[in-house]
C-alpha cells in the first residue's frame, strides 16, 4: 500500500480562510492518523492574486495551531520545489507529452469564438474546441506566425466518467459535460487544473482532500492521470463551511478569517478543536479534543456530506472551556497586558487573574475591562435599586443596617487579608440575626456598584484595600440614607 501523504495547497491570498484551515486540518489528520506525511505546497501561479507577506501568514497560522508540515517551501523535502512558480519549466514538458499522446492540443481561439459558443449554448455552456481538428501544418503555420495560443485538454465527449469519493461516494459525470479546459495559459503558466495533477502525482500524494466545488472537475483530472498512466489518488471532497443555510463563509463578505478570530481573543487550539467538528464527528459525544487526540480519533468515513454551519457561540463556549483549563500561570501571563490596560491603580494582579479565569470567554479588552474596571473607579451614581433584591431578601433599609455594621467591624481590622475579612464578615449575620445574603449582597453592591462581579464581597474588599473599601461602604450608606429620606 502507498504511504499516506496529503498536502495543503493554499494560494497566497493574505489571510487564512476558516474553510481552508478546516481543509488543511483534515489533510493533516488523515496523514498523521496513518503516521504519514503532511506537505505544504504554495499555489502561486495566479500571479494577479498574489499578496505580499501572504506565505508567512500561511506558515504562522499552521505553526500557531501545531500543524507542522513534513515537507514544504521553507524546509524542503525530496519532492521540491514546493512553490508552484518555481516548478514552471516542468509543466510545459508534461503538456508537450500530452500533446504527443493526443490528450491535449494547441488552441488559437479568440475570445469571440468562445463568446459565440457561450451564446449558442446558453447556461449549460461546455466549450468544445474547434482547434483540436487543426492539421499539423495549420498548427505549425500559426505558431510560426506567433499567433497567441493556449494548450487545452482534449476530451472525447462520450460515455461517462466515474470515480469513488471517500465522502460523496460514487460520482458519475457525463463525458459530454466536460469542457476542454486550459492546461497552459497564453502567458505560459499552467492553470490550477493542470498543475494540481502534475504536482500531486510528482509529490506522491495518496489522498487529495479539497472542497466539494472540485467534485465535478475531478473526472477531467482523472483523464489526465489515465493519459500518463499514473495511479489516481484517493479523493476526499469536503463540504463547505457555511455562515448560514444559504451562504458560504467568505472572507470577501466580511466573515472572520483565522487571524480575525485570534485578534478577537480566541485561542488557536480552541479554533482548531472547533473547526474539526465542522463536518466531522467522533463516534462518541466527546467535544473537547487536543490536536493529538484528533489525530487518534480521526476517521475519514465520519466526514459528513452535509454543509457545516459556523456557529460563533459554540466556538465562544469552547474557547471559554480552553481558558478555564489553562495553567493559571500561563493564563496570568497572557491576561496581564489586558489587566494593565483595564486598570490604572495598583492591584494584586495575580489575584484578579485567578478571579476572572473562569469568567471570561475571550481575551478581549472590552470584555475584560468591563468585568474589572469597577476596581479602579466606583461607578458614579450606580442604581440604588440593586440594593433591593427579593431573592437575597435585601431591602434598602436592611442594606443601610448591614453596611453600617460592616463598616464598624471592618474599620477595626488592622490586618487586611482574605482570612481576617472572612472571619469579620462571617460574624456579622449572627450578630444581626439575619441570613448571610442580607449582609453580603449589600456589601458587594457598595464595593462594586455592579450587579455582577468576578468574586464576592470578601474578594473585592481584599483587592480594594481597607481605605477604599470603607470609603465605598460609606458612599453606599450616604446615598441610601439620602434616598430613603426623600422617598
Ligand atoms: N490552491 C487551491 C485552492 O486554494 C487548492 C485546491 C486543492 O487543494 O487542490 O483552492
Amino acid at each position: 500500500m502507498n504511504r499516506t501523504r496529503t498536502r495543503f495547497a493554499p494560494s497566497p491570498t493574505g489571510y487564512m480562510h476558516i474553510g481552508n484551515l478546516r481543509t488543511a486540518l483534515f489533510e493533516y489528520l488523515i496523514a498523521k492518523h496513518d503516521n504519514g506525511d503532511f506537505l505544504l505546497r504554495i499555489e502561486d501561479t495566479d500571479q494577479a492574486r498574489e499578496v505580499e507577506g501572504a506565505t508567512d501568514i500561511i506558515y504562522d497560522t499552521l505553526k500557531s495551531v501545531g500543524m507542522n508540515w513534513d515537507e514544504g517551501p521553507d524546509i524542503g523535502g525530496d519532492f521540491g520545489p514546493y512553490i508552484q512558480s518555481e516548478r514552471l519549466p516542468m509543466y510545459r514538458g508534461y503538456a508537450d507529452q500530452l500533446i504527443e499522446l493526443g490528450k491535449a492540443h494547441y488552441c488559437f481561439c479568440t475570445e469571440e469564438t468562445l463568446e459565440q459558443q457561450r451564446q449558442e449554448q446558453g447556461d449549460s455552456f461546455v466549450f468544445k474546441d474547434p482547434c483540436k481538428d487543426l492539421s499539423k501544418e495549420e498548427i505549425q503555420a500559426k505558431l510560426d506566425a506567433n499567433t497567441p495560443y493556449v494548450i487545452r485538454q482534449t476530451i472525447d465527449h462520450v460515455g461517462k466518467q466515474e470515480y469513488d469519493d471517500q465522502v460523496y461516494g460514487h460520482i458519475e459525470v457525463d463525458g459530454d459535460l466536460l469542457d476542454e479546459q486550459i492546461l497552459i495559459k497564453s502567458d505560459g503558466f499552467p492553470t490550477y487544473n493542470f498543475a494540481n495533477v502534475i504536482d500531486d502525482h510528482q509529490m506522491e500524494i495518496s489522498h487529495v482532500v479539497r472542497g466539494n466545488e472540485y467534485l465535478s472537475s475531478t473526472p477531467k483530472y482523472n483523464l489526465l492521470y489515465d493519459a500518463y498512466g499514473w495511479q489516481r489518488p484517493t479523493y476526499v471532497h469536503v463540504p463547505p463551511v457555511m455562515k448560514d443555510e444559504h451562504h458560504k463563509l467568505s472572507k470577501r463578505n466580511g466573515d472572520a478569517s483565522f487571524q480575525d478570530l485570534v485578534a478577537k481573543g480566541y485561542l488557536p487550539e480552541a479554533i482548531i478543536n472547533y473547526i474539526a467538528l465542522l463536518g466531522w464527528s467522533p463516534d462518541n459525544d466527546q467535544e473537547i479534543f487536543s490536536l493529538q487526540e484528533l489525530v487518534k480519533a480521526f476517521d475519514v468515513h465520519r466526514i459528513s456530506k452535509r454543509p457545516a454551519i459556523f456557529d460563533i457561540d459554540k466556538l465562544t463556549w469552547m474557547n471559554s472551556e480552553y481558558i478555564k483549563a489553562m495553567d493559571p500561570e500561563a493564563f496570568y501571563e497572557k491576561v496581564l497586558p489586558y489587566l494593565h490596560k483595564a486598570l490604572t491603580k495598583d492591584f494584586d494582579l495575580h489575584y484578579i487573574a485567578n478571579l476572572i479565569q473562569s469568567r471570561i470567554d475571550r481575551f478581549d479588552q472590552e470584555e475584560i475591562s468591563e468585568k474589572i474596571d469597577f476596581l479602579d473607579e466606583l461607578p458614579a451614581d450606580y442604581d440604588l435599586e440593586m440594593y433591593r433584591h427579593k431573592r437575597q431578601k435585601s431591602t434598602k433599609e436592611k442594606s443601610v443596617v448591614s453596611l453600617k455594621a460592616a463598616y464598624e467591624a471592618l474599620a477595626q481590622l488592622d490586618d487586611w487579608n482574605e482570612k481576617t475579612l472572612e472571619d469579620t464578615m462571617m460574624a456579622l449575620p449572627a450578630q444581626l440575626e439575619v441570613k448571610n445574603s442580607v449582609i453580603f449582597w449589600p456589601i458587594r453592591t457598595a464595593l462594586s456598584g455592579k450587579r455582577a462581579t468576578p468574586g464576592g464581597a470578601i474578594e473585592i474588599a481584599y483587592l480594594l484595600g481597607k481605605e477604599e473599601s470603607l470609603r465605598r461602604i460609606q458612599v453606599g450608606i450616604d446615598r441610601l440614607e439620602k434616598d430613603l429620606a426623600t422617598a
Side-chain angles (χ1 to χ4, degrees):
M1 222 176 83
N2 293 338
R3 182 174 173 76
T4 301
R5 285 169 61 84
T6 61
R7 86 303 190 269
F8 179 41
S11 307
T13 53
Y15 52 84
M16 182 65 77
H17 185 280
I18 289 298
N20 282 354
L21 186 59
R22 200 269 320 251
T23 305
L25 176 61
F26 285 5
E27 282 154 353
Y28 177 84
L29 296 176
I30 289 171
K32 294 299 154 191
H33 183 81
D34 280 358
N35 283 318
D37 305 321
F38 171 63
L39 282 65
L40 179 58
R41 178 172 80 223
I42 302 296
E43 303 212 321
D44 61 344
T45 55
D46 192 353
Q47 304 270 318
R49 275 172 66 196
E50 193 104 355
V51 179
E52 183 137 339
T55 315
D56 288 332
I57 291 180
I58 296 167
Y59 294 158
D60 292 347
T61 305
L62 296 182
K63 279 185 194 156
S64 73
V65 296
M67 274 162 50
N68 300 322
W69 50 101
D70 301 294
E71 296 165 33
D74 54 337
I75 54 172
D78 291 343
F79 303 87
Y82 294 87
I83 296 190
Q84 271 182 342
S85 59
E86 292 173 15
R87 302 169 65 80
L88 289 179
M90 182 192 70
Y91 301 111
R92 180 60 208 237
Y94 279 107
D96 288 340
Q97 195 184 335
L98 270 189
I99 294 176
E100 291 288 308
L101 291 165
K103 301 292 181 192
H105 60 266
Y106 289 96
C107 169
F108 303 94
C109 285
T110 57
E111 202 28 62
E112 287 78 61
T113 318
L114 269 111
E115 191 46 41
Q116 197 184 337
Q117 281 202 23
R118 216 172 270 138
Q119 301 228 337
E120 281 164 15
Q121 295 184 29
D123 281 349
S124 54
F125 170 64
V126 178
F127 182 58
K128 311 256 165 79
D129 190 357
C131 293
K132 69 179 171 185
D133 298 325
L134 292 174
S135 69
K136 270 209 164 108
E137 293 70 33
E138 285 170 312
I139 293 169
Q140 198 52 53
K142 286 191 187 282
L143 291 178
D144 291 345
N146 280 334
T147 316
Y149 67 87
V150 297
I151 297 177
R152 286 183 184 272
Q153 185 172 1
T154 309
I155 291 184
D156 296 328
H157 293 105
V158 290
K160 286 194 187 316
Q161 293 301 326
E162 305 176 39
Y163 69 101
D164 288 310
D165 182 78
Q166 296 285 300
V167 176
Y168 288 83
H170 189 69
I171 304 287
E172 270 186 18
V173 179
D174 205 336
D176 205 36
L177 297 178
L178 303 177
D179 69 322
E180 308 209 279
Q181 61 182 358
I182 298 178
L183 304 179
I184 301 282
K185 295 181 272 189
S186 56
D187 61 6
F189 278 56
T191 55
Y192 163 78
N193 290 326
F194 189 43
N196 89 84
V197 171
I198 305 298
D199 290 347
D200 286 341
H201 169 73
Q202 291 243 311
M203 296 179 178
E204 297 185 2
I205 300 304
S206 63
H207 293 65
V208 168
V209 186
R210 59 184 157 217
N212 71 351
E213 66 271 24
Y214 291 99
L215 269 173
S216 60
S217 307
T218 295
K220 291 182 279 189
Y221 308 148
N222 283 334
L223 288 171
L224 294 173
Y225 283 97
D226 297 351
Y228 292 115
W230 295 341
Q231 187 186 347
R232 298 176 181 184
T234 298
Y235 292 108
V236 183
H237 286 93
V238 295
V241 179
M242 310 288 285
K243 175 206 201 78
D244 54 41
E245 249 177 83
H246 303 291
H247 303 92
K248 257 190 173 186
L249 205 65
S250 130
K251 173 72 185 164
R252 256 175 254 159
N253 293 340
D255 298 329
S257 66
F258 174 79
Q259 280 68 32
D260 295 332
L261 290 176
V262 172
K264 283 184 184 163
Y266 292 94
L267 294 166
E269 50 276 37
I271 301 174
I272 276 296
N273 186 159
Y274 176 64
I275 66 174
L277 302 175
L278 288 174
W280 175 81
S281 56
D283 60 5
N284 55 23
D285 52 13
Q286 183 175 348
E287 287 193 294
I288 304 290
F289 285 90
S290 67
L291 189 60
Q292 279 324 306
E293 288 171 321
L294 285 171
V295 165
K296 221 165 152 219
F298 201 75
D299 175 359
V300 174
H301 300 106
R302 297 192 61 86
I303 297 177
S304 162
K305 275 193 261 213
R306 254 182 311 146
I309 295 183
F310 183 85
D311 177 355
I312 191 80
D313 294 335
K314 181 81 192 261
L315 170 62
T316 306
W317 166 79
M318 197 168 268
N319 203 56
S320 71
E321 293 298 308
Y322 272 81
I323 292 177
K324 276 186 214 145
M326 278 174 87
D327 168 69
E329 207 43 41
F331 176 78
Y332 171 71
E333 292 293 326
K334 186 151 171 83
V335 84
L336 199 54
Y338 299 89
L339 301 186
H340 281 310
K341 269 206 181 136
L343 302 166
T344 58
K345 297 186 182 147
D346 216 9
F347 289 103
D348 181 342
L349 297 181
H350 255 108
Y351 193 88
I352 295 177
N354 276 337
L355 277 187
I356 65 173
Q357 182 164 5
S358 59
R359 292 178 170 91
I360 61 169
D361 294 333
R362 293 179 291 134
F363 288 93
D364 175 71
Q365 191 63 52
E366 212 176 306
E367 184 182 330
I368 292 172
S369 292
E370 192 273 326
K371 287 222 154 46
I372 59 172
D373 57 8
F374 73 88
L375 291 169
D376 239 15
E377 199 81 58
L378 178 68
D381 301 328
Y382 63 83
D383 187 2
L384 295 180
E385 286 307 305
M386 280 191 282
Y387 284 103
R388 237 197 324 226
H389 198 298
K390 243 194 183 155
R391 204 156 32 85
Q392 310 289 359
K393 303 210 174 355
S394 196
T395 63
K396 289 182 182 174
E397 290 80 358
K398 281 194 211 164
S399 294
V400 174
V401 178
S402 299
L403 288 178
K404 283 188 168 167
Y407 189 99
E408 219 172 283
L410 293 172
Q412 289 168 31
L413 254 191
D414 288 328
D415 198 4
W416 193 265
N417 62 46
E418 256 187 296
K419 173 84 177 73
T420 55
L421 282 167
E422 186 173 347
D423 291 346
T424 309
M425 287 199 215
M426 290 304 269
L428 293 172
Q431 188 192 317
L432 299 184
E433 294 178 347
V434 293
K435 285 198 167 213
N436 281 3
S437 59
V438 176
I439 301 290
F440 284 89
W441 179 262
I443 300 180
R444 196 186 59 87
T445 306
L447 292 177
S448 69
K450 294 192 70 166
R451 251 172 247 281
T453 51
I458 295 168
E459 286 92 348
I460 297 170
Y462 164 72
L463 278 168
L464 291 173
K466 181 172 178 178
E467 197 185 325
E468 179 64 6
S469 297
L470 290 178
R471 187 188 74 78
R472 291 186 182 196
I473 292 173
Q474 191 59 53
V475 169
I477 296 169
D478 294 345
R479 287 193 59 203
L480 278 169
E481 284 189 329
K482 202 166 154 208
D483 180 77
L484 289 169
T486 56

